[in-house]
Amino acid sequence: MARRADEQVVPTRVMLPRRVVDGPARQVAKRLMMALVVLAVTVFIVWVDRSGYHDAADGKVDLLDAVYYATVTLSTTGYGDITPYSDGARLTNVVLVTPLRVLFLIILVGTTLEVLTERTREDFRLKRWRTNLRDHTVVVGFGTKGRSAIQTLCATGLSKEQIVVVDPASKVIEIANAEGFTGVLGDATRSDVLRRAELQKARQIIIATQRDDTAVLVALTARQLNRGAKIVAAVREEENAPLLRQSGADAVITSASAAGRLLGLSVLSPSAGTVMEDLIQQGSGLDLVERPVIKAEVGKNVRETDDLVVNVLRGHRLLGYDDPAASPLQLTDRLITIVRASNEPPPNPLHQPLPRP
């Protein structure tokens, strides 16, 4: 599974989400129209008060002379061949033409400064983002599986600022930015790309790539960079699941097999299929929730809890609700329960939804 020597290297870039604004061409067009409006107003002022101006060539100021004077005045060129000599014309220059000149310069200089400072602002935002980002979630792949996983996380109260999307397609990253997520453009099998996503500080990693071999490489690289993060990955073929677990994934979801089992269950029992589909859709109907055992539940039987317990997680052992070893409950246990979904984020930050296919 070594990377081919002739493989095209995808350029890497961190793209922070931003508000939708006009494109550069449209912004420049707007500035140009504003400058033309200022020029037209200045020409009108000079033309109305043309009797107070003197042209060194013929002594008169016509429309072309007014346009010429307004142009050289606003651009601060000032050749001096046309000058205001009456008190009214000079007062008009002080009160009206001078502010218009300043406004004209602000429009032109502002456009240039905006272009020059855009990179500085972007670098500052990126530096601040890197400094404040920690315990976040890195999602590799923003396809159907990646988006569904993100929707589940957001439904449980995770903010968009705590999610970083990694994908090699620039259009996909642009879509992620438009939805409010930070994107890293690049090949996630490369460690430098994952470092740009600050994966070494991430709390959990979701691998939702299109290819199973890519998922294995991403899991190996991610586990090497972050030993303590929870890694959840999706594979197409069930035979690749053990390899992905050996690569460092904590949980592996076989998307094709899971969909097939749900189809088969729906054929045998449509109602059971509907319940299962409801359980894997976070935020509506019934939800599967993992939570810690509270002090009031310590020493009790599994069936004596207020919630409908499905499994008990004790250390690395997953015990069924009917397993005699599951009761009595211990303080260090975690319960996997079925609860009624709520539109509000869970009050306990330790509540975690189970990985969804």
Side-chain angles (χ1 to χ4, degrees), residues 34-161:
M34 293 172 61
L36 290 177
V37 169
V38 173
L39 177 61
V41 172
T42 306
V43 171
F44 176 77
I45 292 174
V46 175
W47 171 248
V48 170
D49 198 22
R50 60 187 179 276
S51 59
Y53 291 82
H54 176 75
D55 186 358
D58 56 7
K60 297 180 180 180
V61 175
D62 54 18
L63 181 59
L64 179 59
D65 293 332
V67 174
Y68 167 75
Y69 176 79
T71 303
V72 297
T73 299
L74 292 180
S75 62
T76 67
T77 304
Y79 293 111
D81 47 352
I82 299 179
T83 57
Y85 70 91
S86 68
D87 293 340
R90 292 178 179 179
L91 181 61
T92 301
N93 266 262
V94 173
V95 176
L96 297 179
V97 177
T98 298
L100 289 173
R101 183 189 302 118
V102 174
L103 179 60
F104 186 83
L105 292 177
I106 289 176
I107 294 173
L108 297 183
V109 176
T111 303
T112 304
L113 289 178
E114 183 175 357
V115 174
L116 294 177
T117 58
E118 179 65 26
R119 181 60 182 273
T120 303
R121 290 200 303 265
E122 191 69 18
D123 290 343
F124 174 76
R125 291 184 63 209
L126 185 58
K127 184 177 180 180
R128 185 176 59 181
W129 171 77
R130 292 187 185 280
T131 302
N132 298 332
L133 190 66
R134 57 179 53 86
D135 293 334
H136 58 290
T137 300
V138 177
V139 180
V140 180
F142 198 62
T144 302
K145 293 179 290 186
R147 291 187 183 185
S148 299
I150 290 177
Q151 289 175 359
T152 300
L153 293 174
C154 292
T156 60
L158 187 66
S159 64
K160 293 184 177 181
E161 290 76 12

Side-chain angles (χ1 to χ4, degrees), residues 89-327:
R90 292 178 179 179
L91 181 61
T92 301
N93 266 262
V94 173
V95 176
L96 297 179
V97 177
T98 298
L100 289 173
R101 183 189 302 118
V102 174
L103 179 60
F104 186 83
L105 292 177
I106 289 176
I107 294 173
L108 297 183
V109 176
T111 303
T112 304
L113 289 178
E114 183 175 357
V115 174
L116 294 177
T117 58
E118 179 65 26
R119 181 60 182 273
T120 303
R121 290 200 303 265
E122 191 69 18
D123 290 343
F124 174 76
R125 291 184 63 209
L126 185 58
K127 184 177 180 180
R128 185 176 59 181
W129 171 77
R130 292 187 185 280
T131 302
N132 298 332
L133 190 66
R134 57 179 53 86
D135 293 334
H136 58 290
T137 300
V138 177
V139 180
V140 180
F142 198 62
T144 302
K145 293 179 290 186
R147 291 187 183 185
S148 299
I150 290 177
Q151 289 175 359
T152 300
L153 293 174
C154 292
T156 60
L158 187 66
S159 64
K160 293 184 177 181
E161 290 76 12
Q162 286 296 106
I163 298 177
V164 180
V165 176
V166 182
D167 200 280
S170 58
K171 291 185 178 180
V172 173
I173 295 299
E174 290 175 0
I175 294 174
N177 285 163
E179 295 183 10
F181 303 107
T182 299
V184 176
L185 177 63
D187 184 2
T189 61
R190 299 173 53 186
S191 58
D192 61 320
V193 174
L194 295 181
R195 286 194 182 96
R196 287 179 178 269
E198 298 296 320
L199 184 136
Q200 62 275 13
K201 298 189 296 183
R203 182 180 181 182
Q204 48 199 12
I205 304 159
I206 298 175
I207 302 175
T209 57
Q210 299 297 325
R211 295 169 54 94
D212 290 357
D213 55 351
T214 303
V216 172
L217 288 174
V218 173
L220 284 169
T221 308
R223 183 55 73 198
Q224 183 181 16
L225 294 176
N226 192 328
R227 298 289 182 181
K230 177 186 293 185
I231 300 179
V232 179
V235 293
R236 291 178 176 270
E237 303 297 334
E238 192 169 1
E239 61 183 10
N240 294 326
L243 181 59
L244 200 52
R245 291 189 181 94
Q246 294 176 8
S247 302
D250 299 295
V252 180
I253 306 299
T254 308
S255 56
S257 298
R261 285 191 288 268
L262 184 59
L263 287 173
L265 179 62
S266 299
V267 170
L268 297 175
S269 174
S271 298
T274 301
V275 173
M276 289 301 300
E277 187 176 2
D278 183 22
L279 288 175
I280 64 177
Q281 186 175 358
Q282 188 72 21
S284 62
L286 300 175
D287 282 343
L288 280 172
V289 173
E290 178 181 330
R291 67 170 179 85
V293 172
I294 61 177
K295 292 183 178 180
E297 297 172 335
V298 176
K300 290 185 177 181
N301 189 281
V302 171
R303 299 181 182 275
E304 296 177 350
T305 61
D306 295 334
D307 296 334
L308 180 59
V309 178
V310 179
N311 291 95
V312 177
L313 182 61
R314 180 170 297 159
H316 296 287
R317 298 174 59 195
L318 188 62
L319 305 175
Y321 72 94
D322 56 347
D323 192 326
S327 300

